Amino acid sequence: MRKSVVVLKAFLVAVLAFGAIRAAQATPPELEEEAQTALKALYARSPGAEALGAKAKAILVFPNVRKVAAIVGAQGGHGVMLKDGKPTTEYRLTGLQLGLEVGGQAFSYAMFLMSESALEKLRSSKGFEIGADPNIVFVDAGAGVQM
């Protein structure tokens, strides 16, 4: 019984924090600026990412994803699709996790779409799922291998 109360409290904390995250999201002009800034920062840290971006048909950038967890976790953020450096579509990222997680973090996320077919699949889908399997992250994106 006590364990279920702890899990319930953790879930409520995550849900309340997730609601605050959604309320603090940027408006579209701010979102575009934040996405461009996040992409420039990525390129400054990783010339390989910049080379990949030059070849990409479009780049989906989530400049400020927030994640909080206390056994049950939630994450969310808003992003923008950049095609030829110009914003085309706004996207929303949401997720829930269950597992041995405690804490919070904020990060940026960029997805490089390398073909017109990948771009069309994303545009025509009602949603997509990334990382549906359990995972462990050992390094920060800035420490990743350059392509």
Side-chain angles (χ1 to χ4, degrees):
M1 176 71 177
R2 183 178 172 112
K3 185 177 178 181
S4 62
V5 170
V6 170
V7 171
L8 180 60
K9 285 181 181 179
F11 177 76
L12 292 174
V13 167
V15 168
L16 291 173
F18 184 64
I21 290 167
R22 290 193 55 182
Q25 294 303 319
T27 60
E30 293 168 333
L31 180 62
E32 177 189 346
E33 184 179 322
E34 290 173 2
Q36 295 285 4
T37 301
L39 197 55
K40 286 177 186 172
L42 173 63
Y43 289 167
R45 285 191 319 262
S46 175
E50 187 170 13
L52 193 62
K55 295 177 186 175
K57 300 297 180 187
I59 306 169
L60 181 54
V61 181
F62 292 92
N64 192 13
V65 178
R66 296 188 186 265
K67 180 178 179 180
V68 295
I71 300 181
V72 175
Q75 69 180 13
H78 284 252
V80 65
M81 174 79 68
L82 301 173
K83 185 163 175 58
D84 299 322
K86 306 280 188 243
T88 61
T89 313
E90 187 178 341
Y91 285 83
R92 187 179 75 217
L93 174 74
T94 57
L96 291 173
Q97 299 89 26
L98 178 63
L100 296 175
E101 295 182 89
V102 175
Q105 70 181 118
F107 57 93
S108 297
Y109 183 81
M111 178 187 297
F112 297 87
L113 300 157
M114 303 307 292
S115 68
E116 287 296 331
S117 65
L119 183 56
E120 188 53 40
K121 283 180 185 176
L122 180 61
R123 285 181 176 157
S124 64
S125 70
K126 294 188 188 288
F128 63 96
E129 195 170 282
I130 297 174
D133 298 322
N135 60 67
I136 300 173
V137 177
F138 290 103
V139 295
D140 184 43
V145 176
Q146 292 187 4
M147 302 174 129

